[in-house]
């Protein structure tokens, strides 16, 4: 519990100090990918199924990759990666 609290505090501190990335914000890239997929898959029949496929393609790979990476990395590197992920996902000072 203390470790999680420290990681969360570090993520909040990183967000406070660094603010919004000036270039290459991950959510901007995600939005572009979502728009690109929507234009190609949100047409014709079976749109619900196509939407599920788009969701699976956009949402599932990164958390699965991160979970695998966190399990493989030494504790310090996993902690640094966790803080970086928190920095990009909290967005208190960004977006």
């Amino acid at each position: 519990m203390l470790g999680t609290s420290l990681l969360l505090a570090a993520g909040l501190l990183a967000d406070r100090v660094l603010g919004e990335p000036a270039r290459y914000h991950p959510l901007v890239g995600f939005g572009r990918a979502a728009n690109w997929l929507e234009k190609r898959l949100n047409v014709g029949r079976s749109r619900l199924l196509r939407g599920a496929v788009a969701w699976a393609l956009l949402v599932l790979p990164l958390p699965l990759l991160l979970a695998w990476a966190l399990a493989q990395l030494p504790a310090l590197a996993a902690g640094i990666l966790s803080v970086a992920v928190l920095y990009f996902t909290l967005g208190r000072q960004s977006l």
Side-chain angles (χ1 to χ4, degrees):
M1 181 75 165
L2 180 60
T4 302
S5 298
L6 290 174
L7 290 174
L8 181 57
L12 285 168
L13 180 63
D15 181 61
R16 175 80 172 176
V17 171
L18 300 174
E20 183 171 2
R23 299 178 68 177
Y24 307 114
H25 196 289
L27 293 180
V28 173
F30 180 85
R32 287 185 180 148
N35 286 335
W36 184 85
L37 262 180
E38 181 183 19
K39 287 178 186 174
R40 281 144 187 84
L41 296 180
N42 195 16
V43 293
R45 299 177 62 104
S46 303
R47 289 188 347 196
L48 183 60
L49 177 61
R50 291 169 182 248
V53 169
W55 177 85
L57 289 172
L58 288 171
V59 174
L60 291 179
L62 186 59
L64 293 174
L65 178 64
L66 286 172
W68 176 83
L70 290 172
Q72 305 300 315
L73 292 172
L76 180 61
I80 292 169
L81 179 59
S82 295
V83 170
V85 169
L86 283 169
Y87 165 65
F88 284 118
T89 57
L90 289 173
R92 189 166 187 263
Q93 297 290 324
S94 64
L95 299 175

